[in-house]
PDB file of all heavy atoms in Angstrom:
ATOM      1  N   HIS A  12     166.840-105.727 -89.323  1.00 68.00           N
ATOM      2  CA  HIS A  12     167.103-106.120 -88.045  1.00 68.00           C
ATOM      3  C   HIS A  12     165.869-106.269 -87.084  1.00 68.00           C
ATOM      4  O   HIS A  12     164.968-105.586 -87.448  1.00 68.00           O
ATOM      5  CB  HIS A  12     168.104-105.096 -87.324  1.00 68.00           C
ATOM      6  CG  HIS A  12     167.559-103.682 -87.089  1.00 68.00           C
ATOM      7  ND1 HIS A  12     166.537-103.396 -86.257  1.00 68.00           N
ATOM      8  CD2 HIS A  12     167.718-102.543 -87.793  1.00 68.00           C
ATOM      9  CE1 HIS A  12     166.181-102.188 -86.310  1.00 68.00           C
ATOM     10  NE2 HIS A  12     166.950-101.595 -87.234  1.00 68.00           N
ATOM     11  N   PHE A  13     165.921-107.322 -86.349  1.00 60.00           N
ATOM     12  CA  PHE A  13     164.934-107.557 -85.270  1.00 60.00           C
ATOM     13  C   PHE A  13     165.651-107.600 -84.032  1.00 60.00           C
ATOM     14  O   PHE A  13     166.269-108.493 -83.592  1.00 60.00           O
ATOM     15  CB  PHE A  13     164.226-108.816 -85.626  1.00 60.00           C
ATOM     16  CG  PHE A  13     163.258-109.225 -84.477  1.00 60.00           C
ATOM     17  CD1 PHE A  13     162.089-108.560 -84.412  1.00 60.00           C
ATOM     18  CD2 PHE A  13     163.592-110.313 -83.638  1.00 60.00           C
ATOM     19  CE1 PHE A  13     161.171-108.884 -83.370  1.00 60.00           C
ATOM     20  CE2 PHE A  13     162.730-110.576 -82.597  1.00 60.00           C
ATOM     21  CZ  PHE A  13     161.475-109.957 -82.472  1.00 60.00           C
ATOM     22  N   GLY A  14     165.687-106.386 -83.365  1.00 60.00           N
ATOM     23  CA  GLY A  14     166.754-106.208 -82.229  1.00 60.00           C
ATOM     24  C   GLY A  14     168.111-106.287 -82.698  1.00 60.00           C
ATOM     25  O   GLY A  14     168.470-105.661 -83.815  1.00 60.00           O
ATOM     26  N   PHE A  15     168.887-107.179 -82.254  1.00 61.00           N
ATOM     27  CA  PHE A  15     170.183-107.280 -82.665  1.00 61.00           C
ATOM     28  C   PHE A  15     170.535-108.377 -83.718  1.00 61.00           C
ATOM     29  O   PHE A  15     171.588-108.661 -84.130  1.00 61.00           O
ATOM     30  CB  PHE A  15     171.336-107.469 -81.579  1.00 61.00           C
ATOM     31  CG  PHE A  15     171.409-106.278 -80.506  1.00 61.00           C
ATOM     32  CD1 PHE A  15     171.968-106.426 -79.304  1.00 61.00           C
ATOM     33  CD2 PHE A  15     171.057-105.110 -80.993  1.00 61.00           C
ATOM     34  CE1 PHE A  15     172.078-105.416 -78.406  1.00 61.00           C
ATOM     35  CE2 PHE A  15     171.226-103.837 -80.143  1.00 61.00           C
ATOM     36  CZ  PHE A  15     171.783-104.084 -78.861  1.00 61.00           C
ATOM     37  N   ARG A  16     169.339-108.980 -83.982  1.00 65.00           N
ATOM     38  CA  ARG A  16     169.527-109.985 -84.977  1.00 65.00           C
ATOM     39  C   ARG A  16     169.118-109.724 -86.434  1.00 65.00           C
ATOM     40  O   ARG A  16     168.221-108.749 -86.526  1.00 65.00           O
ATOM     41  CB  ARG A  16     168.459-111.271 -84.736  1.00 65.00           C
ATOM     42  CG  ARG A  16     168.809-112.157 -83.503  1.00 65.00           C
ATOM     43  CD  ARG A  16     167.977-113.389 -83.573  1.00 65.00           C
ATOM     44  NE  ARG A  16     166.621-113.154 -83.054  1.00 65.00           N
ATOM     45  CZ  ARG A  16     165.574-113.660 -83.788  1.00 65.00           C
ATOM     46  NH1 ARG A  16     165.690-114.416 -84.766  1.00 65.00           N
ATOM     47  NH2 ARG A  16     164.354-113.444 -83.211  1.00 65.00           N
ATOM     48  N   ASP A  17     169.639-110.181 -87.427  1.00 70.00           N
ATOM     49  CA  ASP A  17     169.333-109.872 -88.695  1.00 70.00           C
ATOM     50  C   ASP A  17     168.347-110.985 -89.272  1.00 70.00           C
ATOM     51  O   ASP A  17     168.501-112.223 -88.925  1.00 70.00           O
ATOM     52  CB  ASP A  17     170.503-110.053 -89.763  1.00 70.00           C
ATOM     53  CG  ASP A  17     171.393-108.743 -89.584  1.00 70.00           C
ATOM     54  OD1 ASP A  17     170.999-107.676 -89.252  1.00 70.00           O
ATOM     55  OD2 ASP A  17     172.614-108.981 -89.883  1.00 70.00           O
ATOM     56  N   LYS A  23     159.997-109.764 -90.382  1.00 73.00           N
ATOM     57  CA  LYS A  23     160.147-108.822 -89.305  1.00 73.00           C
ATOM     58  C   LYS A  23     158.693-108.498 -88.709  1.00 73.00           C
ATOM     59  O   LYS A  23     158.483-108.559 -87.499  1.00 73.00           O
ATOM     60  CB  LYS A  23     160.832-107.557 -89.543  1.00 73.00           C
ATOM     61  CG  LYS A  23     160.874-106.550 -88.377  1.00 73.00           C
ATOM     62  CD  LYS A  23     161.878-105.509 -88.555  1.00 73.00           C
ATOM     63  CE  LYS A  23     161.776-104.586 -87.268  1.00 73.00           C
ATOM     64  NZ  LYS A  23     162.589-103.426 -87.367  1.00 73.00           N
ATOM     65  N   GLN A 208     163.741-108.170 -73.868  1.00 85.00           N
ATOM     66  CA  GLN A 208     165.128-108.095 -74.424  1.00 85.00           C
ATOM     67  C   GLN A 208     165.160-107.483 -75.811  1.00 85.00           C
ATOM     68  O   GLN A 208     165.931-106.617 -76.288  1.00 85.00           O
ATOM     69  CB  GLN A 208     165.772-109.490 -74.504  1.00 85.00           C
ATOM     70  CG  GLN A 208     167.148-109.583 -75.175  1.00 85.00           C
ATOM     71  CD  GLN A 208     168.252-109.005 -74.234  1.00 85.00           C
ATOM     72  OE1 GLN A 208     167.998-109.085 -72.929  1.00 85.00           O
ATOM     73  NE2 GLN A 208     169.351-108.558 -74.794  1.00 85.00           N
ATOM     74  N   TYR A 209     164.128-107.934 -76.695  1.00 83.00           N
ATOM     75  CA  TYR A 209     164.000-107.363 -78.072  1.00 83.00           C
ATOM     76  C   TYR A 209     163.717-105.781 -77.874  1.00 83.00           C
ATOM     77  O   TYR A 209     164.398-104.993 -78.731  1.00 83.00           O
ATOM     78  CB  TYR A 209     162.829-108.016 -78.766  1.00 83.00           C
ATOM     79  CG  TYR A 209     162.236-107.165 -79.984  1.00 83.00           C
ATOM     80  CD1 TYR A 209     163.032-106.861 -81.058  1.00 83.00           C
ATOM     81  CD2 TYR A 209     161.098-106.330 -79.808  1.00 83.00           C
ATOM     82  CE1 TYR A 209     162.621-106.065 -81.978  1.00 83.00           C
ATOM     83  CE2 TYR A 209     160.693-105.463 -80.787  1.00 83.00           C
ATOM     84  CZ  TYR A 209     161.492-105.260 -81.847  1.00 83.00           C
ATOM     85  OH  TYR A 209     161.079-104.366 -82.881  1.00 83.00           O
ATOM     86  N   GLU A 212     166.864-103.924 -77.201  1.00 87.00           N
ATOM     87  CA  GLU A 212     167.712-103.922 -78.376  1.00 87.00           C
ATOM     88  C   GLU A 212     167.133-103.067 -79.463  1.00 87.00           C
ATOM     89  O   GLU A 212     167.917-102.423 -80.136  1.00 87.00           O
ATOM     90  CB  GLU A 212     167.841-105.411 -78.929  1.00 87.00           C
ATOM     91  CG  GLU A 212     168.517-106.274 -78.100  1.00 87.00           C
ATOM     92  CD  GLU A 212     168.618-107.775 -78.513  1.00 87.00           C
ATOM     93  OE1 GLU A 212     168.101-108.052 -79.598  1.00 87.00           O
ATOM     94  OE2 GLU A 212     169.185-108.617 -77.846  1.00 87.00           O
ATOM     95  N   SER A 213     165.878-102.989 -79.650  1.00 88.00           N
ATOM     96  CA  SER A 213     165.193-102.208 -80.708  1.00 88.00           C
ATOM     97  C   SER A 213     165.564-100.665 -80.515  1.00 88.00           C
ATOM     98  O   SER A 213     165.628 -99.959 -81.472  1.00 88.00           O
ATOM     99  CB  SER A 213     163.748-102.371 -80.801  1.00 88.00           C
ATOM    100  OG  SER A 213     162.998-101.899 -79.681  1.00 88.00           O
ATOM    101  N   LYS A 216     168.967 -99.893 -81.850  1.00 88.00           N
ATOM    102  CA  LYS A 216     169.025-100.028 -83.270  1.00 88.00           C
ATOM    103  C   LYS A 216     168.199 -98.755 -83.967  1.00 88.00           C
ATOM    104  O   LYS A 216     168.328 -98.566 -85.262  1.00 88.00           O
ATOM    105  CB  LYS A 216     168.417-101.265 -83.889  1.00 88.00           C
ATOM    106  CG  LYS A 216     169.174-102.553 -83.420  1.00 88.00           C
ATOM    107  CD  LYS A 216     170.672-102.480 -83.929  1.00 88.00           C
ATOM    108  CE  LYS A 216     170.679-102.929 -85.369  1.00 88.00           C
ATOM    109  NZ  LYS A 216     172.009-102.999 -85.812  1.00 88.00           N
TER     110      LYS A 216
END
Side-chain angles (χ1 to χ4, degrees):
H12 62 72
F13 175 73
F15 290 163
R16 286 195 288 139
D17 288 332
K23 180 171 179 177
Q208 179 74 27
Y209 158 73
E212 293 175 1
S213 71
K216 298 296 286 187

